[in-house]
Amino acid sequence: MPGLAANPSIFENIRLPDDTFEIHRLEWFVPERGMSLQQYAEKMAEQVKGEHPVLLGVSFGGLLVQEMARFLDPRKVIIVSSVKNKGELPRRLIFARYTHIHKLLPTGLINNVELLAKYAFGETVTKRLKLYEQYLSLRDKYYIDWSIDKIVNWQQKDCMPGVVHIHGDQDAVFPKEHIGECITVKGGTHTMILHRARWFNENLPEIILK
């Protein structure tokens, strides 16, 4: 499951052995009005085929696959550049939860890819604008507002048992200092699923199978 506003092409450089793994890429859809994150997860879980799947989610997609796991019987849940509970959220998002300041964000400007990338990836993308135009394709204002609100107000108190957390020590969106137990990728940023694909190709098979 890709991150906020991103499409499955963020996984285009992730290549696992065909004789062992079958990859299914999920896509965000615009939620119905008033839809909870749990309702969204239940609907997304309907798209997962096969028994005991391994769920992998990036960033906001990591939150979503944890919610999806409640409606499936996954063999494993892996989250990348994400959080395992609300205590791992950075202070600015906790502040937003109590002040509702996130509702003042100019999400009406989401067709400005630089602004959308700041929301989704936490970085300025001037040098790679064309690349991010490809990856960030869901530019619906209601979806963006809904997603930011669900992240800010995520209520999971305890870590889901067995979740495998992969996190970069240079993540600017979810700083490593707030993250509990995880597999640390040295030099990894919030977009390491794109820029550190070799690390994932070398390590994911063992992480999945053990």
Side-chain angles (χ1 to χ4, degrees):
M1 190 76 217
L4 180 103
N7 60 56
S9 68
I10 70 165
F11 300 114
E12 64 185 357
N13 294 318
I14 303 300
R15 293 182 171 82
L16 304 180
D18 293 335
D19 58 352
T20 307
F21 304 101
E22 184 176 340
I23 299 176
H24 296 271
R25 299 173 179 176
L26 299 173
E27 292 193 57
W28 294 103
F29 59 86
V30 178
E32 299 166 12
R33 296 281 166 171
M35 197 175 213
S36 69
L37 182 60
Q38 291 73 27
Q39 290 169 328
Y40 191 99
E42 184 174 15
K43 191 167 184 178
M44 185 66 78
E46 294 172 0
Q47 299 183 35
V48 177
K49 308 302 179 185
E51 296 182 356
H52 312 302
V54 173
L55 302 177
L56 184 147
V58 175
S59 192
F60 182 37
L63 273 66
L64 183 64
V65 296
Q66 291 175 77
E67 296 294 340
M68 289 169 61
R70 306 179 197 282
F71 303 101
L72 299 164
D73 185 17
R75 182 178 179 276
K76 185 169 289 187
V77 176
I78 301 171
I79 65 172
V80 177
S81 307
S82 190
V83 295
K84 299 183 291 297
N85 57 65
K86 65 180 185 178
E88 293 186 336
L89 291 170
R91 290 187 182 89
R92 67 181 182 278
L93 294 185
I94 296 173
F95 178 75
R97 183 188 306 156
Y98 293 105
T99 63
H100 307 292
I101 198 170
H102 61 289
K103 295 184 181 295
L104 301 178
L105 291 171
T107 53
L109 302 177
I110 55 168
N111 282 320
N112 178 328
V113 176
E114 288 184 54
L115 182 64
L116 182 56
K118 196 70 176 174
Y119 292 162
F121 296 149
E123 62 181 57
T124 303
V125 299
T126 309
K127 295 180 181 177
R128 295 178 289 204
L129 201 55
K130 294 271 184 202
L131 187 67
Y132 286 103
E133 284 179 345
Q134 170 193 339
Y135 295 131
L136 298 172
S137 59
L138 185 46
R139 303 177 192 173
D140 180 272
K141 183 182 186 309
Y142 180 76
Y143 162 80
I144 299 295
D145 287 338
W146 178 89
S147 298
I148 293 172
D149 186 67
K150 298 313 173 198
I151 296 169
V152 167
N153 291 294
W154 196 42
Q155 293 301 310
Q156 184 155 294
K157 293 181 180 179
D158 301 311
C159 299
M160 182 175 288
V163 169
V164 177
H165 190 171
I166 304 172
H167 210 84
D169 64 0
Q170 300 299 313
D171 194 308
V173 175
F174 299 127
K176 177 68 169 56
E177 64 194 79
H178 303 300
I179 302 300
E181 184 179 351
C182 68
I183 298 170
T184 302
V185 179
K186 190 172 183 179
T189 66
H190 197 67
T191 55
M192 64 182 182
I193 195 70
L194 294 171
H195 309 306
R196 300 292 298 276
R198 178 181 294 180
W199 186 95
F200 286 94
N201 291 337
E202 291 175 353
N203 292 279
L204 265 183
E206 181 181 355
I207 291 170
I208 292 170
L209 293 174
K210 78 174 183 181

